[in-house]
Amino acid sequence: MTAANGKARPPVVVLGAGLAGLTAARELRRRSVPVRVFEAGKQIAGLARSFRDEDGFVHDFGAHFITNRLAAAIGVGSRCRDVKHYGETVLLNGRYYPYPFGLMRNPRFLASALASRSMRRSAPPQSAREWYITNYGHALAEQVAIPLVESWSGAPASELATSVVPPQIDRGNTHVLRLKLASRLSGRAVANGYSREKPESAHVWHVYPEGSLATLCEHLAADLDGVIQTESPVEAILVEDGRAVGVQVKGEVIEASAVISTAPVHVLAKLVRGTDAVAHFARFRYRPLLLVNLRFHGRGLLGDVVTWTPERHLPFFRITEAPVSMPWLAPDGMTTLTVDIGSETDEPLWRMPEDQLAELCVEHLQSFIPGAKRRFISARVLRTTIAHPIYLRAYESERLQLERGLPVRGLYSIGRNGAFAHILMEDVYWRTLAQMRQLVTELSGATSTRAQAPAPAVVM
Amino acid sequence: MPILKREELIEDAAWTLDVPAPERSHPALRQACCLCGEDEGEPVAVGEDFDDRERRGDSFLVLHCRACGVAYLGRPSSGHVGAANEGAHTNAGALLRHRRTRTLLGRELQGRSVPARVLVIGDAAAASSFATLLSERKVAVDTLEHIDPSSTGGRIEPRGSRYDVAVVIEEAGRLEDPVEALATLGRGGCTRLVLVIDNFDARSCRVFRGRHWVGYDFPRRLFWFEPRAVRALVNRAGFELESLRTVSAPDRWTRSTHRFLRDWGAPPWLANRFAGRALGATVLASALEALATLSGAGSVLVATCRSRADEPTPVST
């Protein structure tokens, strides 16, 4: 692609070689747009990697939901295995309730949910707390939904915007039931509540790449010869006259026709030079998370693959036993429980030594996993300071502005962290494609606009 | 208690799993609507090669261009490029087993002036079946398994002959550029074109569209057409549409149902009821297909077209 003056157009610069960055780069390259990718780490794929230890356990960094539709779109369908089963339960007072309909077995929850449905709503809810009470009733909201969202976010539900409630949670019972039935009949983990961008159906289910989660990114990167530069953190994004014009990497200024950032928005705000239009994103917060991988003898120790634990005396809010749905992740007769603990970095839990943290978890697990201490083998701990966005009401209007695009021309913030959105891998992929098509259109428009008149530049 | 920090996990390269070398996408294969060139279609299906799942094991995405009514195959891996030219699994032979379809095609050809030479293009079974039918009617027939404009220099003259009529049976969906291929037929002298193709707007397709529709025939087809897309296709290729109708093909129901049952792990005794010509399944499928055809949503489209180059020159006054 060339500019109107016949000079080669400078490349589009992409910050980050994770799923979003690589999808963006491949899409641009496919459309003949020159592109360069700068990755701060030594490897591509960020934390979307898998590791096998000497005992035969496979570790992923956090949960990754990949569908057969995403795998087919990227072109790695033949390298993925079907996930046979996926289910969630809620653990309350030592009893498992399958999510979501099992909770209705509790008469108090059922009564409160029915009562809330029958009440006339005077005004739309202003906070997550109001949303849950309005839609679920007091009992279900106070005992399950609100404790979970508060542990997940690290903020009171009254301070959280309603956007913390994922839109797919309100899809309708018939839809959820239909997908659950399809999952049961087909023997596959039909994706149920894991896609916002594309419709869910009985034919879209969870898969897992053979070998490693990195398969997806490595496949995307295979089309990007000579484009990706690792160990090259972008130090600054340069903006002139309200337009991104380049980046600074290792002290060198690199001209760019557009800049695509996958960095968390509070980091992006600090990278941008030449304008303060995005400075307010610096106060956006992400939730730090402790992921404690505990190995046990036995398998099927919990009610289902994911167990939500809303009881406030427990230090964790979610436990995932991935080998139940993906047996290859642990040796036969053993399993891994990943315990999610929300904690700010200045809290005691965050600073707790790993062995103490593991002991604390096992101690609590003992109350609902018989013989947990006896079964326990070992533990590994992952700390991530940026697990997911916190949807505070305090900056909801700015977040909505971010959804519409950044106020700097030629600057895009994409991906899960860049969009400040709790979206999963398939949504990241489809959103990124759509954004890159928009960018290409704008770059083409910029060419023709400049060809007709020298100024002003293209308007986003 | 062994505890490793995240940094150690990442840095310990010995733990990284062996991953096979990634395949490149095939650069030459377009992933776009063959009519408008847009590549922003909505994903409507994810399927597999149900005829050969053991060997391939890949999954394929179908994207739908709502503007044109064309569905197209998402980017396959390089291992599957060329699969579109494997002709073993097309359904045309089965289609032509239906007497009504054969009769209809015969009528389309002979209802007008009797053609001197006919070229039948489609997989071997379909082409030979139809060629036999026409030969019985004293029509000279040649057959061609695939249109390959690149190997014929843009001319479809396999035996140095010119043809009055080309009958293209389920081939249009297998071509990388169907518009150009059909236009090649027109340039080769074919004045009439009969296009037989699966209907992407058929009732049977709508029911099984998400995965199991037999018309997908992954990965051997690249495009699927709604009736309006067929209109646009022949128009772009330089032909004028004379008639477009849907015809009945009950096997689209039975075979799609068979795929669905097999894919979802139904017991063989149940799945096999839809595999062959079991009476109950055939009767049910025929009834469903008859209703669909009556409402214009039959499983197969038959388009009869005339080359615009064949139009009489207006008399100047």
Side-chain angles (χ1 to χ4, degrees):
Chain A
M1 187 177 276
T2 55
N5 57 11
K7 282 174 61 179
R9 180 183 292 282
V12 172
V13 166
V14 179
L15 279 66
L19 179 70
L22 294 172
T23 300
R26 186 171 81 160
E27 185 64 11
L28 291 170
R29 202 173 203 206
R30 216 164 64 78
R31 292 165 184 271
S32 305
V33 175
V35 62
R36 289 182 74 176
V37 180
F38 294 104
E39 164 59 42
K42 289 180 181 174
Q43 294 173 308
I44 63 164
L47 292 184
R49 304 191 71 83
S50 307
F51 303 87
R52 174 176 286 137
D53 67 17
E54 66 279 7
D55 298 322
F57 288 89
V58 176
H59 301 269
D60 295 341
F61 291 118
H64 295 81
F65 293 94
I66 302 160
T67 62
N68 60 331
R69 183 166 56 191
L70 174 63
I74 289 178
V76 295
S78 62
R79 295 169 178 218
C80 291
R81 306 190 222 195
D82 291 350
V83 175
K84 304 285 185 196
H85 168 78
Y86 178 82
E88 299 181 10
T89 59
V90 178
L91 179 67
L92 269 175
N93 302 318
R95 188 175 170 190
Y96 291 102
Y97 296 89
Y99 176 83
F101 300 115
L103 287 162
M104 293 302 106
R105 292 204 310 245
N106 182 318
R108 287 188 60 231
F109 294 159
L110 178 62
S112 85
L114 289 175
S116 73
R117 292 274 166 176
S118 61
M119 285 171 66
R120 185 175 293 173
R121 293 160 196 182
S122 53
Q126 297 300 307
S127 68
R129 179 181 185 79
E130 286 180 22
W131 192 97
Y132 285 122
I133 290 173
T134 306
N135 286 274
Y136 294 169
H138 273 279
L140 191 52
E142 298 286 4
Q143 286 192 46
V144 179
I146 290 173
L148 285 177
V149 81
E150 289 184 343
S151 297
W152 189 81
S153 298
S158 56
E159 291 178 17
L160 294 171
T162 55
S163 50
V164 75
V165 183
Q168 64 265 34
I169 211 166
D170 218 15
R171 294 164 297 158
N173 293 339
T174 313
H175 177 77
V176 175
L177 270 174
R178 190 169 59 81
L179 295 182
K180 281 190 169 288
L181 183 64
S183 187
R184 180 68 62 90
L185 292 176
S186 67
R188 296 173 178 132
V190 172
N192 199 344
Y194 287 92
S195 188
R196 300 184 193 186
E197 296 293 311
K198 299 297 172 195
E200 294 177 322
S201 90
H203 309 300
V204 179
W205 60 83
H206 297 294
V207 296
Y208 188 90
E210 281 178 358
S212 168
L213 280 174
T215 299
L216 272 71
C217 288
E218 285 170 359
H219 190 84
L220 289 167
D223 289 337
L224 295 168
D225 268 351
V227 164
I228 305 168
Q229 203 170 317
T230 55
E231 297 184 80
S232 304
V234 169
E235 295 148 355
I237 296 170
L238 310 174
V239 175
E240 288 177 12
D241 300 327
R243 179 172 190 88
V245 294
V247 296
Q248 181 181 311
V249 181
K250 294 179 179 173
E252 181 191 355
V253 172
I254 295 157
E255 197 184 354
S257 54
V259 177
I260 297 161
S261 170
T262 62
V265 285
H266 65 325
V267 174
L268 173 71
K270 292 167 188 161
L271 287 176
V272 171
R273 307 271 190 276
T275 178
D276 57 0
V278 296
H280 52 280
F281 293 128
R283 69 187 185 118
F284 279 35
R285 286 173 49 203
Y286 293 80
R287 177 66 162 159
L289 210 59
L290 288 157
L291 302 167
V292 186
N293 286 308
L294 303 158
R295 294 120 164 242
F296 290 90
H297 289 291
R299 191 168 289 184
L301 305 181
L302 298 169
D304 213 322
V305 179
V306 169
T307 298
W308 296 95
T309 53
E311 291 175 290
R312 292 187 190 269
H313 69 275
L314 294 172
F316 40 77
F317 64 92
R318 180 172 57 191
I319 314 167
T320 305
E321 188 176 3
V324 168
S325 61
M326 295 176 279
W328 55 87
L329 296 182
D332 286 345
M334 299 184 195
T335 196
T336 306
L337 303 186
T338 303
V339 172
D340 294 4
I341 302 174
S343 169
E344 295 305 312
T345 54
D346 56 357
E347 288 179 351
L349 272 175
W350 189 267
R351 295 191 301 267
M352 186 178 280
E354 278 87 349
D355 52 351
Q356 283 183 33
L357 199 55
E359 274 176 28
L360 177 73
C361 292
V362 173
E363 189 68 39
H364 281 92
L365 290 172
Q366 176 76 20
S367 62
F368 49 91
I369 298 177
K373 285 183 180 172
R374 177 175 42 84
R375 291 170 180 271
F376 178 65
I377 302 168
S378 60
R380 298 181 189 279
V381 178
L382 162 69
R383 290 175 166 86
T384 174
T385 53
I386 300 172
H388 47 253
I390 304 175
Y391 293 82
L392 289 177
R393 291 171 67 191
Y395 45 66
E396 178 63 1
S397 59
E398 287 119 309
R399 193 194 64 79
L400 291 171
Q401 182 199 50
L402 178 65
E403 269 190 0
R404 294 190 293 271
L406 291 171
V408 175
R409 288 171 292 156
L411 179 60
Y412 288 75
S413 189
I414 65 165
R416 185 180 156 100
N417 288 330
F420 197 73
H422 186 56
I423 51 175
L424 302 172
M425 293 180 90
E426 192 180 0
D427 285 339
V428 167
Y429 179 80
W430 294 117
R431 274 193 192 191
T432 302
L433 285 192
Q435 286 167 310
M436 291 310 102
R437 287 164 186 159
Q438 185 191 340
L439 171 60
V440 170
T441 305
E442 285 165 5
L443 289 174
S444 309
T447 303
S448 58
T449 305
R450 274 199 287 267
Q452 289 161 11
V458 65
V459 175
M460 283 179 68
Chain B
M1 185 182 300
I3 301 290
L4 281 183
K5 292 178 183 172
R6 167 189 158 196
E7 291 72 19
E8 292 172 300
L9 285 168
I10 295 173
E11 297 303 326
D12 190 346
W15 284 7
T16 306
L17 300 182
D18 290 333
V19 180
E23 288 180 349
R24 287 165 189 277
S25 301
H26 193 272
L29 205 58
R30 290 175 68 205
Q31 183 195 11
C33 171
C34 60
L35 295 181
C36 68
E38 286 295 329
D39 58 0
E40 298 177 24
E42 281 296 304
V44 290
V46 190
E48 294 167 22
D49 183 356
F50 290 101
D51 293 317
D52 199 358
R53 291 177 71 176
E54 294 304 316
R55 185 163 66 92
R56 295 191 189 282
D58 207 347
S59 57
F60 303 94
L61 190 69
V62 177
L63 299 129
H64 186 213
C65 174
R66 296 198 195 285
C68 300
V70 172
Y72 55 94
L73 187 68
R75 181 189 299 110
S77 56
S78 56
H80 295 111
V81 173
N85 286 326
E86 295 174 9
H89 298 282
T90 59
N91 309 308
L95 169 68
L96 289 167
R97 278 203 296 270
H98 299 297
R99 196 179 58 189
R100 282 197 58 229
T101 311
R102 288 205 307 264
T103 308
L104 176 76
L105 286 175
R107 201 185 305 144
E108 294 291 343
L109 289 177
Q110 293 198 306
R112 299 165 177 83
S113 60
V114 177
R117 296 192 70 84
V118 173
L119 175 64
V120 181
I121 303 168
D123 77 77
S128 67
S129 165
F130 197 63
T132 305
L133 172 80
L134 292 174
S135 300
E136 288 167 3
R137 301 183 183 198
K138 313 289 186 211
V139 177
V141 181
D142 281 327
T143 60
L144 185 65
E145 197 156 339
H146 299 296
I147 301 175
D148 185 358
S150 60
S151 68
T152 58
R155 299 182 70 79
I156 305 294
E157 295 179 2
R159 294 181 195 167
S161 305
R162 292 173 69 84
Y163 297 92
D164 302 311
V165 180
V167 182
V168 181
I169 303 170
E170 298 197 347
E171 177 73 359
R174 303 170 63 187
L175 300 160
E176 285 191 29
D177 189 347
V179 174
E180 178 54 27
L182 296 183
T184 305
L185 290 174
R187 287 196 297 272
C190 289
T191 54
R192 288 235 302 281
L193 170 70
V194 179
L195 200 60
V196 182
I197 194 166
D198 271 301
N199 179 8
F200 195 68
D201 201 30
R203 190 72 43 79
S204 59
C205 175
R206 282 184 228 161
V207 170
F208 293 101
R209 183 177 283 185
R211 180 170 174 82
H212 302 108
W213 183 48
V214 74
Y216 284 135
D217 198 21
F218 296 117
R220 286 165 286 273
R221 298 201 189 178
L222 304 174
F223 300 104
W224 300 267
F225 300 87
E226 293 177 12
R228 62 191 170 112
V230 171
R231 269 189 213 101
L233 171 67
V234 297
N235 193 42
R236 293 270 184 90
F239 290 90
E240 185 180 315
L241 190 68
E242 291 184 329
S243 72
L244 177 64
R245 64 189 76 191
T246 68
V247 293
S248 171
D251 71 292
R252 301 303 196 260
W253 290 92
T254 51
R255 296 179 69 190
S256 300
T257 307
H258 179 244
R259 287 183 172 190
F260 163 69
L261 291 171
R262 256 185 48 197
D263 187 41
W264 279 34
W269 64 264
L270 179 60
N272 290 340
R273 300 232 164 199
F274 295 86
R277 291 177 153 195
L279 183 65
T282 305
V283 167
L284 180 63
S286 299
L288 288 169
E289 181 66 0
L291 288 172
T293 307
L294 279 175
S295 62
S299 289
V300 172
L301 288 166
V302 177
T304 309
C305 325
R306 188 178 61 179
S307 170
R308 279 204 290 271
D310 192 39
E311 287 174 0
T313 311
V315 180
S316 57
T317 53

